[in-house]
Amino acid sequence: KAGVTQTPRYLIKTRGQQVTLSCSPISGHRSVSWYQQTPGQGLQFLFEYFSETQRNKGNFPGRFSGRQFSNSRSEMNVSTLELGDSALYLCASSLGGAGPAYEQYFGPGTRLTVT
Amino acid sequence: KQEVTQIPAALSVPEGENLVLNCSFTDSAIYNLQWFRQDPGKGLTSLLLIQSSQREQTSGRLNASLDKSSGRSTLYIAASQPGDSATYLCAVCGGNMLTFGGGTRLMVKP
């Protein structure tokens, strides 16, 4: 079974631009979560989608947004990029659902550098 | 608000030693706790998942315990090897999100 895939793996953008990152979950997984990892703040939760609905959102400004498609693939968008948005963005997938919390499986991440 | 702390932040040991990594959390209302490994510049690899109703989980040389009432978990690594060198992260699940600790950077010297 293929793991979680993220594209692109590396991105360089300039301040003020916008960026879209993509995540394909493990086949059969319906929940996709996004995390930001920086040396100063560590790993922080951005948002989680299940069946195309955002179920939970972390404490990030509105410049960070996301969506999930009917095939469970997810995208996140960051508008008006700032230098502080430079980070490793990680996507995780799980079975999701209304039962107990399931194990999360992470992708390799997208390294975003804002200059 | 859940807060997760990992001690120590860094650890350097000679090959063959048994070692313990610690994780503490402030809110005991969790669904599960996961331990991850992260190699430099890479994603996270899940090592062990402990459901809130469980006390411990084992996989090979790894053993993780969970004491919900005291808000603690430990990851025990037996007979450490240079290939175990990585950052180890614990994360608690409260609902549909994970809250991570700051990690323990482990170096196992040959």
Side-chain angles (χ1 to χ4, degrees), chain B residues 24-105:
Chain B
S24 61
F25 48 95
T26 54
D27 186 351
S28 62
I30 65 171
Y31 288 100
N32 62 47
L33 184 146
Q34 267 187 269
W35 281 93
F36 295 92
R37 167 189 172 135
Q38 186 175 33
D39 293 287
K42 302 287 179 65
L44 277 61
T45 300
S46 180
L47 298 172
L48 289 164
L49 169 74
I50 311 178
Q51 298 291 353
S52 61
S53 58
Q54 298 175 318
R55 297 285 291 184
E56 66 178 304
Q57 280 285 349
T58 298
S59 176
R61 295 183 293 109
L62 305 179
N63 175 277
S65 67
L66 174 64
D67 184 341
K68 249 183 42 167
S69 60
S70 67
R72 293 174 192 245
S73 176
T74 60
L75 178 66
Y76 176 82
I77 303 177
S80 59
Q81 303 170 357
D84 294 331
S85 298
T87 296
Y88 291 79
L89 294 146
C90 77
V92 297
C93 181
N96 301 311
M97 60 174 281
L98 296 176
T99 302
F100 283 86
T104 293
R105 192 179 305 115

Side-chain angles (χ1 to χ4, degrees), chain A residues 1 23 47 55 61 65 69 74 83 98 106:
Chain A
K1 204 183 240 188
C23 172
F47 28 64
R55 290 197 297 191
S65 63
F69 302 95
S74 176
L83 294 178
F106 281 78

Side-chain angles (χ1 to χ4, degrees), chain A residues 24-110:
Chain A
S24 293
I26 291 171
S27 177
H29 285 191
R30 296 166 64 191
S31 169
V32 173
S33 301
W34 289 89
Y35 293 83
Q36 181 197 65
Q37 186 176 31
T38 59
Q41 299 296 318
L43 272 152
Q44 294 184 286
F45 172 76
L46 281 156
F47 28 64
E48 187 255 355
Y49 287 87
F50 177 78
S51 292
E52 302 179 66
T53 300
Q54 186 182 91
R55 290 197 297 191
N56 211 344
K57 189 178 191 307
N59 189 25
F60 278 82
R63 299 185 297 107
F64 292 81
S65 63
R67 59 177 175 168
Q68 186 180 35
F69 302 95
S70 58
N71 62 358
S72 294
R73 189 177 70 86
S74 176
E75 289 181 348
M76 69 163 281
N77 183 277
V78 188
S79 62
T80 319
L81 284 166
E82 301 176 359
L83 294 178
D85 297 334
S86 295
L88 180 67
Y89 289 88
L90 292 163
C91 162
S93 79
S94 71
L95 288 170
Y102 295 96
E103 187 166 3
Q104 304 263 351
Y105 296 87
F106 281 78
T110 293

